[in-house]
Amino acid sequence: MRDPDEALDAYGFGRAHHRVLHFVDRNPGLRVTELLDILKITKQSLGRVLRELVDKGFVTQREGAADRRQRLLFVTERGDRLVKELHRLQTRRISRALGQCSAAERDAVRRFLFEIIDPQERAQVAELTGVEPPPARR
């Protein structure tokens, strides 16, 4: 995480900002209430982070079409550039490490990472990330 942490620090951001950007980028139009459920943080904690991202032009909030009380979240062009840079930094490091592994070792890493997610949340994580869970072991 050092590479993304350093990139975030240049904006005065931390890992909480990264998490918000990640999920809003992956789910345009995400409702604030859904984000709270995903992140498992307090409304107050999210409010501070979200306010900074909105004020600095990385995220925008819009009213829901059907329910104007809803706040729908979208990354801005600036936010999209930062998300892509953070993704590039992480992908480079992970790819370098996985490049030293055999196919079986890479599969074991994928299985391990999926298994550390709470069982009741695996389907939601798979849906949000677009990553299929590894096949069940026999």
Side-chain angles (χ1 to χ4, degrees):
M1 289 297 299
R2 181 183 359 195
D3 300 331
D5 284 348
E6 289 173 358
L8 289 161
D9 191 51
Y11 298 95
F13 294 160
R15 290 184 183 175
H17 298 85
H18 188 180
R19 293 178 71 210
V20 169
L21 282 168
H22 171 79
F23 286 107
V24 172
D25 179 63
R26 287 219 172 226
N27 303 282
L30 186 68
R31 294 189 328 254
V32 171
T33 54
E34 294 170 316
L35 186 56
L36 284 166
D37 186 48
I38 292 167
L39 297 176
K40 309 276 190 263
I41 60 175
T42 66
K43 194 172 183 178
Q44 183 178 357
S45 295
L46 177 60
R48 179 190 59 80
V49 169
L50 197 52
R51 186 171 36 258
E52 290 173 352
L53 289 167
V54 169
D55 289 350
K56 292 184 179 183
F58 291 89
V59 171
T60 186
Q61 298 181 68
R62 300 180 196 153
E63 292 178 345
D67 184 348
R68 293 182 12 193
R69 295 172 298 175
Q70 286 181 335
R71 290 187 300 154
L72 308 179
L73 304 173
F74 300 86
V75 293
T76 63
E77 192 174 307
R78 185 175 191 203
D80 184 58
R81 283 193 306 269
L82 179 56
V83 167
K84 285 180 178 159
E85 175 62 11
L86 297 172
H87 185 257
R88 185 189 67 76
L89 292 168
Q90 289 180 306
T91 300
R92 181 180 63 193
R93 184 175 288 259
I94 292 167
S95 294
R96 188 171 53 233
L98 288 174
Q100 303 302 309
C101 297
S102 69
E105 290 169 327
R106 285 191 299 275
D107 195 44
V109 168
R110 182 172 166 235
R111 179 175 305 286
F112 169 78
L113 291 173
F114 196 79
E115 289 296 325
I116 64 175
I117 300 167
D118 289 335
Q120 67 273 18
E121 296 180 355
R122 290 178 187 156
Q124 181 184 19
V125 170
E127 183 180 328
L128 287 171
T129 61
V131 175
E132 286 296 317
R137 294 192 73 148
R138 297 176 218 181

